Amino acid sequence: MPSYTAPIKDMQFVLHDLLNVSEDGTPGYAELDREFTNAVLEECGKLNSEVLAPLNVVGDTEGCVLENGVVRTPTGFKTAFDQVKEGGWTGLDMPEEYGGQNMPYLLGIATLEMFGASNQAFAMYQGLTHAAASAILVHGSEEQKTTYLPNMVSCEWTGTMNLTEPHCGTDLGLMRTKAEPQDDGSFKITGQKIFISAGEHDMADNIIHLVLAKIPGGPEGIKGVSLFIVPKFMVKEDGSLGERNGVSCGKIEEKMGIHGNSTCVMNYDGATGFLLGEEHKGMRAMFTMMNEARLGVGMQGLAQADVAYQNALEYAKDRLQGRDVTGAKNPDGPADPLIVHPDIRRSLMDQKSFTEGARAFLLWGAKLIDQSHRGGDEAAEGLVSLLTPVLKGFLTDEGYDMTVQAQQIYGGHGYIEEWGMSQFTRDARIAMIYEGANGVQALDLVGRKLPQNGGKPIMAFFDLVKNFIKENEDNLELKADFLEPLKEASKHLQASGMFFMQNGMKNPNAALSGSYDFMHLFGHVCLGLMWAQMAKAAHEALEAGASDTAFYETKLATGRYYMKRRLPATAMHLARIESGADPVMALEADQF
């Protein structure tokens, strides 16, 4: 059975050596000293390694079962969920007035990685609840917040997001679910939603569904969509639960992975719902959930890659296979361990350099969210909005690829279920699809995010890279290995943006045909920036006489690998972008 060990030392490096969180002026960061964050991460890591990770294979093999309208979760899930609730992990970064601990979002994201790596299907129950509670926190009335948030923050009640319908996926303007106004101010919700994660289960007393629907007579398409709170059980004035609402689970979807999460078809038959936010402004409220969820899904790409890497590394060290071409490294045994072979090293270095770079990227993204929400920093808000499609799309694409590489190290055993590597690959695959398929993320990045606010966020990113290079240009430890590759990759990113500006208006397909490559080009530059900054932090730690020299030297070697072997992909992506739309659009539909 696979195991999981929380990467606390590396998290601490990112939080304190790279991001210097306790010295940051963002409200709430002053208390995040090394001792405090280590205590939180250690406790969370223990819970995930000892309790949730062993249940991962249980959830995968048992799945969820629908019986008489009730979904039964896998063995051990409910007991584990109670432990997570008792530890206060579900409300770590939520407001104290609703039962949370009011810690920064940054710390919440760090713990989220552990939950996702140990048991992604399980983590989704609390993760979606957090997102739904965030939407109510931002857009709900005081009565709605008082009614729902305390129990959602504690996960006594869980939450969902209901967007997709059988006939429409991303194009939500086509939805048919309707909301009929009632004399008492409520609405009757009628329709069917599909792919609803945690839509029905036995781990919470109530489930608070956030449902997109159209009010008759409203604008056509997406402009006519509103968002509604639809509880599974009605909530009485005293806070107790009343009668069952007109919402039910029609079936559980048969999925490729995340079997331990109950992905449901939800039927709304005149269910009572309450408007959340303004009429016909449902997408604005839903995007409060979706932006948070997209960062969380990017984290899932990292999490699955990391746990797969941990197990592949252990296997590569133990499995004897062949001899080192330069001479036996295990002369007393029948063969050398796999890790002596260069191609195995290449694969492991791909995985290691990705996971550590992605961790830094995601925690930096979480810091930007804190700077925006807690500190009112509009520049940080613009930058993280620009980066969100990259965080989601690039990290889940690459994260999935890394699980495949980890599986490959096992050879035939990687294809056999008892070794557990298949599950990481299958669980990682959904992250490329839900919360906006990655092709849509790329279109959003090029079509909406690049030109937003007159291009200020992308220019701010370029300035960030340029200023870092300029400030450190005299640092010979960084120049050749980190700064020059980063500078070259940044030029590729700028050239691709220029191509879109020069060609996109007269031929939109020229930009859209290159959008996916642009997302990946951008992602590599972001990880290149993270590695350059981490290299600087590692050098400074060594110069200051850090006791664990091996850790920092390993960090530098891993960063050099990324800059030499992974970052050059930016040139390939630029070449594809500059080929324009003609190669992509050459065939008519009937020629395929």
Side-chain angles (χ1 to χ4, degrees):
M1 178 186 293
S3 62
Y4 172 67
T5 302
I8 295 169
K9 191 168 188 176
D10 199 57
M11 289 181 173
Q12 287 283 80
F13 168 78
V14 174
L15 291 174
H16 299 287
D17 292 74
L18 177 65
L19 300 179
N20 297 308
V21 291
S22 61
E23 300 171 18
D24 190 278
T26 302
Y29 274 37
E31 67 185 47
L32 299 182
D33 58 43
R34 286 181 184 268
E35 184 177 356
F36 178 78
T37 57
N38 194 68
V40 173
L41 297 176
E42 286 276 6
E43 192 65 27
C44 188
K46 183 179 179 181
L47 172 67
N48 279 279
S49 297
E50 298 178 3
V51 178
L52 300 185
L55 291 176
N56 199 34
V57 68
V58 176
D60 188 51
T61 53
E62 288 189 13
C64 297
V65 179
L66 175 62
E67 294 179 340
N68 300 318
V70 177
V71 171
R72 188 176 71 246
T73 52
T75 303
F77 268 44
K78 190 175 189 308
T79 300
F81 201 59
D82 288 341
Q83 287 184 251
V84 172
K85 291 189 294 184
E86 288 166 8
W89 298 107
T90 61
L92 192 72
D93 58 346
M94 297 299 283
E96 288 181 293
E97 63 183 300
Y98 301 115
Q101 300 181 51
N102 203 37
M103 293 185 190
Y105 180 66
L106 173 68
L107 198 57
I109 281 292
T111 62
L112 180 64
E113 180 191 335
M114 300 184 204
F115 283 108
S118 66
N119 196 323
Q120 180 174 316
F122 179 95
M124 290 170 65
Y125 291 96
Q126 68 205 63
L128 285 163
T129 304
H130 187 287
S134 295
I136 294 174
L137 183 64
V138 174
H139 300 283
S141 66
E142 288 304 315
E143 180 183 1
Q144 288 172 336
K145 294 177 188 177
T146 302
T147 300
Y148 300 106
L149 287 183
N151 282 307
M152 293 180 74
V153 167
S154 67
C155 270
E156 293 302 321
W157 301 349
T158 58
T160 70
M161 51 197 298
N162 288 238
L163 292 77
T164 310
E165 299 181 9
H167 58 283
C168 68
T170 302
D171 192 354
L172 296 173
L174 298 175
M175 72 174 58
R176 297 171 185 160
T177 299
K178 62 181 180 179
E180 296 280 357
Q182 305 297 300
D183 292 340
D184 64 357
S186 67
F187 293 78
K188 291 297 181 184
I189 312 297
T190 302
Q192 185 180 78
K193 298 289 184 177
I194 62 172
F195 308 153
I196 309 307
S197 301
E200 173 63 38
H201 59 86
D202 59 359
M203 299 198 299
D205 296 332
N206 202 3
I207 302 176
I208 310 303
H209 302 286
L210 297 194
V211 184
L212 287 178
K214 289 185 174 182
I215 301 171
E220 292 295 318
I222 199 68
K223 294 182 179 180
V225 172
S226 301
L227 184 61
F228 300 88
I229 298 173
V230 185
K232 174 181 174 180
F233 289 101
M234 301 303 295
V235 182
K236 297 179 181 179
E237 289 188 8
D238 63 0
S240 63
L241 299 182
E243 62 184 15
R244 177 71 183 256
N245 205 355
V247 53
S248 62
C249 173
K251 65 172 285 191
I252 298 177
E253 305 282 11
E254 295 285 339
K255 309 188 298 295
M256 176 180 177
I258 54 170
H259 297 151
N261 194 270
S262 55
T263 307
C264 302
V265 174
M266 300 302 298
N267 297 318
Y268 294 87
D269 185 16
T272 299
F274 306 96
L275 183 68
L276 179 60
E278 302 176 49
E279 288 190 7
H280 316 311
K281 303 291 185 183
M283 291 309 297
R284 178 187 301 172
M286 184 60 83
F287 267 109
T288 300
M289 296 175 64
M290 292 176 69
N291 285 335
E292 178 181 314
R294 284 171 177 169
L295 191 67
V297 172
M299 183 63 80
Q300 289 177 357
L302 161 62
Q304 294 307 300
D306 187 47
V307 68
Y309 163 71
Q310 288 186 24
N311 286 276
L313 175 61
E314 193 68 26
Y315 187 83
K317 289 180 176 179
D318 290 343
R319 175 74 171 181
L320 301 182
Q321 192 82 40
R323 286 294 188 190
D324 187 334
V325 295
T326 64
K329 295 298 187 290
N330 180 34
D332 296 331
D336 288 331
L338 279 173
I339 200 167
V340 305
H341 303 301
D343 194 59
I344 297 295
R345 293 287 187 96
R346 172 202 57 79
S347 177
L348 290 171
M349 287 298 285
D350 277 357
Q351 296 167 57
K352 181 177 175 63
S353 64
F354 167 74
T355 57
E356 293 180 15
R359 181 173 297 118
F361 185 25
L362 279 156
L363 291 178
W364 175 48
K367 182 183 176 184
L368 290 173
I369 288 178
D370 279 331
Q371 289 173 334
S372 168
H373 294 176
R374 287 173 168 253
D377 188 334
E378 292 184 5
E381 171 65 27
L383 187 54
V384 78
S385 178
L386 169 71
L387 294 174
T388 294
V390 185
L391 286 159
K392 194 278 184 183
F394 176 71
L395 295 187
T396 57
D397 277 352
E398 290 288 302
Y400 173 77
D401 285 348
M402 295 306 146
T403 66
V404 173
Q405 288 211 45
Q407 185 184 30
Q408 187 76 9
I409 285 176
Y410 280 69
H413 291 299
Y415 202 67
I416 303 301
E417 291 295 342
E418 70 179 271
W419 288 87
M421 299 306 288
S422 167
Q423 184 184 355
F424 299 137
T425 301
R426 289 184 285 104
D427 285 357
R429 184 64 183 87
I430 185 57
M432 301 161 71
I433 299 172
Y434 60 16
E435 304 305 338
N438 286 355
V440 176
Q441 299 297 326
L443 296 178
D444 177 55
L445 175 62
V446 171
R448 293 181 62 247
K449 298 302 175 61
L450 278 185
Q452 73 179 1
N453 298 330
K456 287 183 179 179
I458 186 63
M459 295 308 297
F461 179 82
F462 287 139
D463 285 343
L464 188 67
V465 175
K466 181 177 67 176
N467 291 338
F468 176 80
I469 293 171
K470 186 175 182 179
E471 289 166 5
N472 295 280
E473 60 186 357
D474 295 331
N475 188 331
L476 298 181
E477 299 284 358
L478 297 180
K479 191 173 179 62
D481 290 339
F482 293 94
L483 300 185
E484 290 179 0
L486 177 60
K487 186 176 183 179
E488 183 71 10
S490 181
K491 287 180 179 179
H492 295 157
L493 185 63
Q494 293 178 61
S496 63
M498 186 63 66
F499 177 84
F500 292 152
M501 288 178 60
Q502 293 172 345
N503 297 274
M505 291 297 292
K506 59 184 178 183
N507 181 11
N509 283 339
L512 300 183
S513 295
S515 61
Y516 212 90
D517 279 285
F518 183 80
M519 180 176 72
H520 275 255
L521 199 168
F522 203 164
H524 278 298
V525 174
C526 287
L527 262 63
L529 175 62
M530 293 298 102
W531 272 116
Q533 292 178 337
M534 286 192 287
K536 180 181 179 181
H539 275 300
E540 289 176 347
L542 289 170
E543 289 171 0
S547 58
D548 192 354
T549 57
F551 173 84
Y552 293 105
E553 288 170 353
T554 299
K555 183 67 67 176
L556 288 166
T558 306
R560 291 188 193 101
Y561 178 89
Y562 194 90
M563 305 306 274
K564 292 180 183 295
R565 297 283 302 223
R566 303 286 293 164
L567 193 58
T570 59
M572 174 193 70
H573 290 301
L574 175 60
R576 289 175 174 175
I577 289 167
E578 291 181 336
S579 73
D582 289 347
V584 176
M585 307 300 292
L587 298 182
E588 297 297 329
D590 59 2
Q591 291 180 293
F592 280 89

